[in-house]
Each structure stands twice: as C-alpha cells, then as structure tokens.
Amino acid sequence: MDSAQKPTARLTTLEWRATTSLALIFALRMFGMFSILPVLAIYARDLPGGDNQFLVGVALGIDGLAQACLQIPFGLLSDRFGRKRMIYLGLALFALGSFLAASATTIHMIILGRLVQGTGAISAAVIALLADLTREEHRSASMAVIGMSIGVTFGVSMVLGPTLNHYIGVPGIFALTGVLALLALLAVRFIVPAPLASRVHGDAETVPGQLRAVLKNSELQRLNFGIFSLHAAMRGLFVAVPLLLLNVGGMAVETHWKVYLPVMALSFFGAVPAIIVAEKYARMKPVFCGAVGLLFISTILMAVLVNHFAGIVIALFLFFLAFNLLEATLPSLVSKIAPAGSKGTAIGVYNTGQFLGLFLGGAIGGFLAQHADYSAVFAFSSGLGIAWFTMAISMQKPPAVKTLMFHVDVKNAQTADALAAALAKLRGVTEAAVSADEGVAYLKADQHDWDEAGAQALMARYKIALVMKT
C-alpha cells in the first residue's frame, strides 16, 4: 500500500467543523428536551387538568412516541430529499411545538406542543449528514463527540432546569427551547458544511433491506428491550422525583439543582472506571449485568424509601450511576453484536425502542401515580429492571471484537463477494461483508490479535485502499 493510499491520522478541518457543529445542533435541541424534565410535573399542578398525573406523564413522554414513529422515516427521506432539507423541517417543527407549549394554558395544550416537538425527529438525518461529511476511519471519533455532547447536555439540563424555572418559568423554558431550535436551524444553514454527495452508509443509517435480519437477532432484541426499559424508568422517574424533592425534602423547586448537581457529577465520573474495565479488559458482560442489577436495586430502593429524603437522594445517585454506565455500554454492545455492515440499521431499531420507552415510561408512570402512588411508579421500573436482568445474565458473552472498515473500489457484486470471502479467512476476522454500492468493506476482528498485514496484502492484491476504524 503506497503512502498516497494511507488515511490521515487526524480529522481534517472540514471534518472537525462538521463534527462540532452537528454536536452543537444536538446539544441545542436536547437542552430544550431535557431541561423541562425536572420542573414540568411541578408546574403542571397549577394548570387546568394538571391535577391528573396520568396526563402529566403523557406530557412528559409524548415526544418519545412521535420520535419513535418518525426518526427512521426522517433518515430515509433525507436520502431522497437531502439531509439539510429534512433537518430544516425537523427543527422548524421542534420550534413550533416549543412555542405551542410556551403558550399553553392547559395540560392538554402542553401535550400537543410536546407531540409537535417530537415530530422534529432529526437524529437519524443528522447522523446521516455526519456520515456524508466524515471519512470512515474517523467516523467513530465524530460519533463519540456527538455522544459526549448529548451526555453533557443531559447533566447540565438537569442542573439548569430548576434555576431557569425560577427566573423565566416553564413557559419561558419552552420559549427558550424554540429560540434555540431556530438558532440550530441557522447553524445548519451557515456553519454545517454541505456534503458534495449523499449516499447510504450502512454503519450510520437504517437500510430497509436489513431490518428483517436485525429484528430476528435475539441478542439485539435483548438490548432493544434494555434501552426501552432504561428510558421508561428514567422518564417515569420524573413523574415522581421532582414532587418528592418538593414535598418530602421540603426543597423549593429552584433549589433542586443542589440534588441534581452532585448526583449527576458523581454518577458520571463514577461510571468511567467500570466502562474502562468493560472495554479494555473484555469484561463487558459482568459490568453490564452489574449495571442492570444496580438499576433494579436503585428503583426498588426508591419504592421502599419513597418517604425518606436521604433515601431518595441515595437511590437517585445509584440510578444515574447505572443509567450512565448503561448509556455508554449499550451502543458498544449493539456495535459488537450487529451483523457486519448492519450497525446503522441495528441502531435505528435500538433508538426506536428508546423513544417508545420514553413515551410508555411517562404514560404508565403517570397512570400509576394517579391511580396508586409514587411507590408503584418505582415498582414498575424495578419490574422492568428484574426482567432485563434475567435477559442480561442469559445473554451470550459479547465478542471481544472491533469494527473495521475498508474503503474499496469494487465495481460489482461478484467482486464484492470474492473480497468478503477472502477477508473472512484472515486470522482473527470473525465476520466480513462488502458493499459494492457503498464502496466499503466491513470487518469484525479480534480486539488484540488479527492479521492486519494480511489485510494490507489482500488490499494491494485487489488494488484497494485500506481504511481502518477501531
């Protein structure tokens, strides 16, 4: 392989611009979605219909239903009508929903506004645009930056939400969310680069022809149930916890940040060592199962200690310790388990499960709070936790593999099949697939020992440039 074929070690200026600007788009949009969570249940009590906690739970979760229905179609439509056009549409809908909720005078109007917010389901289209703007060998790093921006935004939103509520109220937060969406729209127009060409990326997008195989994969379905359960528990939590901090802890809503700040910070940094152990030392299954078990323990503690302030805070810390650990390990597991070349489809189905969890967690949590009590909300979450734990301990040990991609110049399916067969015979390669349409070969190889020299020799034989993604 000559030097001209070797990929550069760093992101180019354009790739950095694309990565940071799209991370900003996610952050601006997500801040509005997250900052309302710690205050909406308290605010809704003073609205007509707000004494019905089922409706409050629906308001908290209804955006998830819209995103579950539309995020894959938005991504597919972006292939046809253009990435930026679909993102413009999604951000405009999100802004419209935010302004509708800001002007709401009843809980039903807030539900409508939140529903319209959810129709701006741009996540898949943004990731597809990122794939258009980054080379294969750097895409994982770009995805990591976006994932980090979402995680940081979530923590910051939990802390700032109660403070913003004190100064501008919930209508002000909704209005600010709408303004941020419009600023994000301007950023897409003037900051995010325009791709020279758009194409389907199997590592980043849902491919309809791959859905059947992905849905039939029982190991992936365990993970889909897991992300559903995790986000159902999280959204149900915000039906109850803000009111418990107010009523049991005697904390005014503007001081709730004093709980959320240490909980979020300590749980975030507490998860890091476990993530390192799971990935570096191939201990993914025990770390993963331990986190699912911790999720169950934290929610059952909330159910038992629902009238004890210190117990609620400790359980909340344990919950977000498990939450942060699982949010980091679940996508990694999807990548390891998904068939080669089908990661984008697997993630699309996974995200659909996540959004359904947001909706049903809010709705069922609200129903239980209305017709039973807050302990029942947490008991429901613990039920999901024990069901998930049962699935987790019986899952196959995740393979200790890394995903690699070769940018290839394959003209037809026959050559693609021949190359895939040759790659699959290399030492340490567990799976190989080649797409002539995408011009990419996907490999799964042992994390510590695979025949990279053999791959280079094979690429030279096929006169194809090697590009690697760890």
Side-chain angles (χ1 to χ4, degrees), residues 264-311:
M264 292 297 170
L266 292 174
S267 63
F268 178 82
F269 289 108
V272 172
I275 295 170
I276 293 173
V277 169
E279 292 287 357
K280 186 174 181 178
Y281 299 102
R283 303 290 294 169
M284 182 65 78
K285 183 174 179 178
V287 170
F288 178 71
C289 290
V292 178
L294 184 59
L295 180 73
F296 165 72
I297 291 170
S298 66
T299 50
I300 203 69
L301 281 175
M302 287 183 190
V304 173
L305 302 174
V306 71
N307 293 314
H308 300 273
F309 177 71

Short mmCIF file of all heavy atoms in Angstrom, two decimals, residues 264-311:
data_model
loop_
_atom_site.label_atom_id
_atom_site.label_comp_id
_atom_site.label_asym_id
_atom_site.label_seq_id
_atom_site.Cartn_x
_atom_site.Cartn_y
_atom_site.Cartn_z
N MET A 264 -25.55 14.04 39.40
CA MET A 264 -25.12 13.90 38.01
C MET A 264 -23.59 13.84 37.91
O MET A 264 -23.04 13.01 37.17
CB MET A 264 -25.65 15.07 37.17
CG MET A 264 -27.15 15.08 37.00
SD MET A 264 -27.71 13.62 36.10
CE MET A 264 -29.48 13.78 36.34
N ALA A 265 -22.90 14.70 38.64
CA ALA A 265 -21.44 14.74 38.54
C ALA A 265 -20.82 13.45 39.08
O ALA A 265 -19.97 12.83 38.43
CB ALA A 265 -20.90 15.95 39.31
N LEU A 266 -21.24 13.02 40.26
CA LEU A 266 -20.66 11.83 40.86
C LEU A 266 -20.99 10.57 40.07
O LEU A 266 -20.14 9.68 39.91
CB LEU A 266 -21.14 11.69 42.32
CG LEU A 266 -20.62 12.74 43.29
CD1 LEU A 266 -21.27 12.58 44.66
CD2 LEU A 266 -19.10 12.66 43.42
N SER A 267 -22.21 10.49 39.57
CA SER A 267 -22.59 9.30 38.80
C SER A 267 -21.84 9.25 37.47
O SER A 267 -21.48 8.17 37.00
CB SER A 267 -24.10 9.27 38.58
OG SER A 267 -24.53 10.38 37.80
N PHE A 268 -21.61 10.41 36.86
CA PHE A 268 -20.88 10.46 35.59
C PHE A 268 -19.45 9.96 35.78
O PHE A 268 -18.98 9.07 35.05
CB PHE A 268 -20.88 11.88 35.04
CG PHE A 268 -20.12 12.04 33.75
CD1 PHE A 268 -20.68 11.71 32.54
CD2 PHE A 268 -18.81 12.53 33.76
CE1 PHE A 268 -19.97 11.85 31.35
CE2 PHE A 268 -18.09 12.67 32.59
CZ PHE A 268 -18.67 12.33 31.37
N PHE A 269 -18.74 10.53 36.75
CA PHE A 269 -17.35 10.14 36.96
C PHE A 269 -17.24 8.74 37.57
O PHE A 269 -16.27 8.02 37.33
CB PHE A 269 -16.64 11.17 37.83
CG PHE A 269 -16.40 12.47 37.13
CD1 PHE A 269 -17.12 13.61 37.48
CD2 PHE A 269 -15.46 12.57 36.11
CE1 PHE A 269 -16.92 14.81 36.82
CE2 PHE A 269 -15.24 13.76 35.45
CZ PHE A 269 -15.97 14.89 35.80
N GLY A 270 -18.26 8.34 38.34
CA GLY A 270 -18.25 7.01 38.92
C GLY A 270 -18.38 5.90 37.90
O GLY A 270 -17.90 4.77 38.10
N ALA A 271 -19.01 6.21 36.75
CA ALA A 271 -19.20 5.20 35.71
C ALA A 271 -17.94 4.96 34.89
O ALA A 271 -17.79 3.89 34.28
CB ALA A 271 -20.35 5.60 34.80
N VAL A 272 -17.03 5.94 34.87
CA VAL A 272 -15.87 5.86 33.97
C VAL A 272 -14.99 4.64 34.24
O VAL A 272 -14.63 3.91 33.30
CB VAL A 272 -15.05 7.17 34.04
CG1 VAL A 272 -13.74 7.02 33.27
CG2 VAL A 272 -15.87 8.32 33.48
N PRO A 273 -14.59 4.35 35.50
CA PRO A 273 -13.74 3.17 35.71
C PRO A 273 -14.38 1.87 35.24
O PRO A 273 -13.70 1.01 34.67
CB PRO A 273 -13.52 3.17 37.23
CG PRO A 273 -13.75 4.58 37.66
CD PRO A 273 -14.83 5.09 36.75
N ALA A 274 -15.67 1.71 35.47
CA ALA A 274 -16.35 0.48 35.04
C ALA A 274 -16.37 0.37 33.52
O ALA A 274 -16.22 -0.73 32.97
CB ALA A 274 -17.78 0.46 35.59
N ILE A 275 -16.53 1.49 32.83
CA ILE A 275 -16.52 1.46 31.36
C ILE A 275 -15.15 1.04 30.86
O ILE A 275 -15.03 0.24 29.91
CB ILE A 275 -16.90 2.85 30.81
CG1 ILE A 275 -18.36 3.19 31.17
CG2 ILE A 275 -16.71 2.90 29.29
CD1 ILE A 275 -18.74 4.63 30.89
N ILE A 276 -14.10 1.55 31.48
CA ILE A 276 -12.73 1.18 31.08
C ILE A 276 -12.50 -0.31 31.29
O ILE A 276 -11.95 -1.00 30.42
CB ILE A 276 -11.70 2.01 31.87
CG1 ILE A 276 -11.81 3.49 31.48
CG2 ILE A 276 -10.28 1.49 31.64
CD1 ILE A 276 -10.95 4.42 32.32
N VAL A 277 -12.90 -0.83 32.45
CA VAL A 277 -12.75 -2.26 32.72
C VAL A 277 -13.50 -3.09 31.69
O VAL A 277 -12.99 -4.09 31.17
CB VAL A 277 -13.24 -2.59 34.14
CG1 VAL A 277 -13.35 -4.10 34.34
CG2 VAL A 277 -12.31 -1.98 35.18
N ALA A 278 -14.73 -2.68 31.37
CA ALA A 278 -15.55 -3.44 30.42
C ALA A 278 -14.91 -3.50 29.05
O ALA A 278 -14.86 -4.58 28.42
CB ALA A 278 -16.94 -2.81 30.34
N GLU A 279 -14.40 -2.38 28.56
CA GLU A 279 -13.87 -2.33 27.20
C GLU A 279 -12.41 -2.81 27.12
O GLU A 279 -12.07 -3.63 26.25
CB GLU A 279 -13.96 -0.89 26.67
CG GLU A 279 -15.38 -0.40 26.42
CD GLU A 279 -16.02 -1.02 25.18
OE1 GLU A 279 -15.35 -1.81 24.48
OE2 GLU A 279 -17.19 -0.72 24.93
N LYS A 280 -11.57 -2.33 28.00
CA LYS A 280 -10.14 -2.63 27.90
C LYS A 280 -9.82 -4.07 28.27
O LYS A 280 -8.94 -4.71 27.67
CB LYS A 280 -9.34 -1.67 28.78
CG LYS A 280 -7.83 -1.82 28.63
CD LYS A 280 -7.09 -0.75 29.43
CE LYS A 280 -5.57 -0.91 29.25
NZ LYS A 280 -4.84 0.16 29.99
N TYR A 281 -10.54 -4.60 29.28
CA TYR A 281 -10.22 -5.93 29.78
C TYR A 281 -11.27 -6.97 29.39
O TYR A 281 -11.31 -8.05 29.97
CB TYR A 281 -10.06 -5.88 31.31
CG TYR A 281 -8.94 -4.97 31.74
CD1 TYR A 281 -9.21 -3.70 32.24
CD2 TYR A 281 -7.60 -5.36 31.62
CE1 TYR A 281 -8.19 -2.85 32.62
CE2 TYR A 281 -6.58 -4.51 32.00
CZ TYR A 281 -6.87 -3.26 32.51
OH TYR A 281 -5.86 -2.41 32.87
N ALA A 282 -12.10 -6.63 28.40
CA ALA A 282 -13.10 -7.57 27.87
C ALA A 282 -13.98 -8.14 28.97
O ALA A 282 -14.28 -9.34 28.99
CB ALA A 282 -12.41 -8.68 27.09
N ARG A 283 -14.42 -7.29 29.89
CA ARG A 283 -15.30 -7.72 30.98
C ARG A 283 -16.70 -7.11 30.79
O ARG A 283 -17.38 -6.77 31.74
CB ARG A 283 -14.72 -7.28 32.32
CG ARG A 283 -13.31 -7.80 32.59
CD ARG A 283 -13.31 -9.30 32.83
NE ARG A 283 -14.02 -9.65 34.04
CZ ARG A 283 -14.34 -10.90 34.38
NH1 ARG A 283 -14.04 -11.89 33.55
NH2 ARG A 283 -14.97 -11.14 35.51
N MET A 284 -17.10 -7.03 29.54
CA MET A 284 -18.34 -6.34 29.23
C MET A 284 -19.56 -6.98 29.91
O MET A 284 -20.39 -6.29 30.49
CB MET A 284 -18.54 -6.28 27.72
CG MET A 284 -19.79 -5.54 27.28
SD MET A 284 -19.76 -3.78 27.70
CE MET A 284 -18.68 -3.16 26.42
N LYS A 285 -19.68 -8.30 29.83
CA LYS A 285 -20.90 -8.92 30.36
C LYS A 285 -21.04 -8.73 31.87
O LYS A 285 -22.12 -8.32 32.33
CB LYS A 285 -20.96 -10.40 29.99
CG LYS A 285 -22.26 -11.05 30.48
CD LYS A 285 -22.44 -12.47 30.01
CE LYS A 285 -23.74 -13.05 30.56
NZ LYS A 285 -23.99 -14.44 30.10
N PRO A 286 -20.02 -9.03 32.70
CA PRO A 286 -20.22 -8.81 34.14
C PRO A 286 -20.47 -7.35 34.51
O PRO A 286 -21.29 -7.07 35.38
CB PRO A 286 -18.92 -9.34 34.77
CG PRO A 286 -17.94 -9.45 33.66
CD PRO A 286 -18.73 -9.69 32.43
N VAL A 287 -19.78 -6.42 33.84
CA VAL A 287 -20.02 -5.00 34.12
C VAL A 287 -21.44 -4.61 33.71
O VAL A 287 -22.16 -3.93 34.44
CB VAL A 287 -18.97 -4.12 33.40
CG1 VAL A 287 -19.37 -2.65 33.48
CG2 VAL A 287 -17.60 -4.34 34.01
N PHE A 288 -21.85 -5.07 32.54
CA PHE A 288 -23.19 -4.77 32.03
C PHE A 288 -24.26 -5.35 32.94
O PHE A 288 -25.21 -4.64 33.33
CB PHE A 288 -23.31 -5.35 30.61
CG PHE A 288 -24.66 -5.17 29.98
CD1 PHE A 288 -25.08 -3.92 29.56
CD2 PHE A 288 -25.50 -6.25 29.79
CE1 PHE A 288 -26.32 -3.75 28.97
CE2 PHE A 288 -26.74 -6.10 29.20
CZ PHE A 288 -27.16 -4.84 28.79
N CYS A 289 -24.13 -6.62 33.30
CA CYS A 289 -25.13 -7.23 34.18
C CYS A 289 -25.15 -6.55 35.55
O CYS A 289 -26.22 -6.38 36.15
CB CYS A 289 -24.84 -8.72 34.35
SG CYS A 289 -25.12 -9.71 32.86
N GLY A 290 -23.97 -6.15 36.04
CA GLY A 290 -23.93 -5.43 37.31
C GLY A 290 -24.67 -4.12 37.25
O GLY A 290 -25.37 -3.73 38.19
N ALA A 291 -24.54 -3.41 36.11
CA ALA A 291 -25.26 -2.14 35.96
C ALA A 291 -26.77 -2.35 35.90
O ALA A 291 -27.53 -1.57 36.47
CB ALA A 291 -24.77 -1.43 34.69
N VAL A 292 -27.20 -3.40 35.20
CA VAL A 292 -28.64 -3.69 35.15
C VAL A 292 -29.15 -4.05 36.55
O VAL A 292 -30.24 -3.61 36.96
CB VAL A 292 -28.93 -4.83 34.15
CG1 VAL A 292 -30.42 -5.16 34.15
CG2 VAL A 292 -28.49 -4.45 32.75
N GLY A 293 -28.36 -4.84 37.28
CA GLY A 293 -28.74 -5.15 38.66
C GLY A 293 -28.83 -3.91 39.53
O GLY A 293 -29.74 -3.78 40.36
N LEU A 294 -27.90 -2.98 39.33
CA LEU A 294 -27.92 -1.72 40.09
C LEU A 294 -29.16 -0.90 39.74
O LEU A 294 -29.73 -0.23 40.62
CB LEU A 294 -26.65 -0.93 39.82
CG LEU A 294 -26.47 0.37 40.61
CD1 LEU A 294 -26.45 0.09 42.11
CD2 LEU A 294 -25.17 1.07 40.19
N LEU A 295 -29.57 -0.94 38.48
CA LEU A 295 -30.79 -0.25 38.08
C LEU A 295 -31.98 -0.80 38.87
O LEU A 295 -32.82 -0.03 39.37
CB LEU A 295 -31.02 -0.42 36.59
CG LEU A 295 -32.27 0.24 36.01
CD1 LEU A 295 -32.10 1.75 35.95
CD2 LEU A 295 -32.58 -0.31 34.61
N PHE A 296 -32.07 -2.11 38.97
CA PHE A 296 -33.15 -2.74 39.75
C PHE A 296 -33.07 -2.33 41.21
O PHE A 296 -34.08 -1.94 41.82
CB PHE A 296 -33.08 -4.26 39.62
CG PHE A 296 -33.90 -4.99 40.64
CD1 PHE A 296 -35.28 -5.01 40.56
CD2 PHE A 296 -33.28 -5.65 41.69
CE1 PHE A 296 -36.04 -5.66 41.50
CE2 PHE A 296 -34.03 -6.32 42.65
CZ PHE A 296 -35.42 -6.32 42.55
N ILE A 297 -31.87 -2.40 41.80
CA ILE A 297 -31.72 -2.07 43.22
C ILE A 297 -32.12 -0.62 43.48
O ILE A 297 -32.82 -0.31 44.46
CB ILE A 297 -30.26 -2.32 43.66
CG1 ILE A 297 -29.97 -3.82 43.66
CG2 ILE A 297 -29.99 -1.72 45.04
CD1 ILE A 297 -28.50 -4.16 43.84
N SER A 298 -31.68 0.30 42.62
CA SER A 298 -31.98 1.72 42.85
C SER A 298 -33.47 2.00 42.79
O SER A 298 -33.99 2.78 43.60
CB SER A 298 -31.23 2.57 41.82
OG SER A 298 -31.71 2.35 40.51
N THR A 299 -34.17 1.38 41.85
CA THR A 299 -35.61 1.64 41.73
C THR A 299 -36.40 0.98 42.85
O THR A 299 -37.40 1.55 43.32
CB THR A 299 -36.13 1.19 40.37
OG1 THR A 299 -35.72 -0.16 40.10
CG2 THR A 299 -35.60 2.08 39.25
N ILE A 300 -35.97 -0.19 43.30
CA ILE A 300 -36.68 -0.82 44.42
C ILE A 300 -36.43 -0.03 45.70
O ILE A 300 -37.31 0.10 46.57
CB ILE A 300 -36.29 -2.30 44.57
CG1 ILE A 300 -37.39 -3.07 45.32
CG2 ILE A 300 -34.97 -2.48 45.26
CD1 ILE A 300 -38.67 -3.23 44.56
N LEU A 301 -35.23 0.55 45.83
CA LEU A 301 -34.96 1.42 46.98
C LEU A 301 -35.85 2.65 46.95
O LEU A 301 -36.36 3.09 48.00
CB LEU A 301 -33.49 1.84 47.00
CG LEU A 301 -32.47 0.82 47.53
CD1 LEU A 301 -31.06 1.36 47.37
CD2 LEU A 301 -32.76 0.50 49.00
N MET A 302 -36.04 3.24 45.79
CA MET A 302 -36.94 4.38 45.67
C MET A 302 -38.36 4.01 46.10
O MET A 302 -39.04 4.80 46.77
CB MET A 302 -36.95 4.91 44.24
CG MET A 302 -35.70 5.65 43.83
SD MET A 302 -35.85 6.32 42.15
CE MET A 302 -34.18 6.86 41.83
N ALA A 303 -38.81 2.82 45.70
CA ALA A 303 -40.16 2.39 46.05
C ALA A 303 -40.30 2.22 47.56
O ALA A 303 -41.32 2.58 48.16
CB ALA A 303 -40.49 1.09 45.33
N VAL A 304 -39.25 1.68 48.21
CA VAL A 304 -39.31 1.41 49.65
C VAL A 304 -39.10 2.68 50.46
O VAL A 304 -39.74 2.89 51.50
CB VAL A 304 -38.25 0.34 50.02
CG1 VAL A 304 -38.17 0.18 51.54
CG2 VAL A 304 -38.59 -0.99 49.37
N LEU A 305 -38.20 3.55 49.99
CA LEU A 305 -37.81 4.74 50.75
C LEU A 305 -38.47 6.01 50.21
O LEU A 305 -37.92 7.10 50.35
CB LEU A 305 -36.29 4.90 50.71
CG LEU A 305 -35.49 3.72 51.26
CD1 LEU A 305 -33.99 3.94 51.04
CD2 LEU A 305 -35.79 3.50 52.74
N VAL A 306 -39.64 5.87 49.64
CA VAL A 306 -40.28 6.98 48.95
C VAL A 306 -40.60 8.14 49.89
O VAL A 306 -40.72 9.29 49.44
CB VAL A 306 -41.57 6.48 48.24
CG1 VAL A 306 -42.64 6.13 49.25
CG2 VAL A 306 -42.06 7.48 47.21
N ASN A 307 -40.69 7.88 51.19
CA ASN A 307 -41.00 8.95 52.15
C ASN A 307 -39.78 9.38 52.96
O ASN A 307 -39.92 10.06 53.98
CB ASN A 307 -42.11 8.49 53.11
CG ASN A 307 -43.44 8.30 52.39
OD1 ASN A 307 -43.85 9.16 51.60
ND2 ASN A 307 -44.11 7.19 52.65
N HIS A 308 -38.58 9.00 52.50
CA HIS A 308 -37.35 9.35 53.21
C HIS A 308 -36.44 10.11 52.26
O HIS A 308 -35.94 9.55 51.28
CB HIS A 308 -36.66 8.08 53.73
CG HIS A 308 -37.51 7.28 54.68
ND1 HIS A 308 -37.55 7.53 56.03
CD2 HIS A 308 -38.37 6.26 54.44
CE1 HIS A 308 -38.39 6.68 56.61
NE2 HIS A 308 -38.90 5.90 55.66
N PHE A 309 -36.20 11.36 52.57
CA PHE A 309 -35.47 12.23 51.66
C PHE A 309 -34.07 11.71 51.37
O PHE A 309 -33.64 11.62 50.21
CB PHE A 309 -35.40 13.64 52.24
CG PHE A 309 -34.60 14.60 51.39
CD1 PHE A 309 -35.09 15.04 50.17
CD2 PHE A 309 -33.35 15.05 51.81
CE1 PHE A 309 -34.35 15.92 49.39
CE2 PHE A 309 -32.62 15.92 51.04
CZ PHE A 309 -33.12 16.35 49.83
N ALA A 310 -33.31 11.36 52.42
CA ALA A 310 -31.94 10.88 52.21
C ALA A 310 -31.94 9.61 51.36
O ALA A 310 -31.09 9.43 50.48
CB ALA A 310 -31.26 10.62 53.55
N GLY A 311 -32.91 8.75 51.61
CA GLY A 311 -33.01 7.52 50.82
C GLY A 311 -33.29 7.80 49.36
O GLY A 311 -32.73 7.13 48.47
#
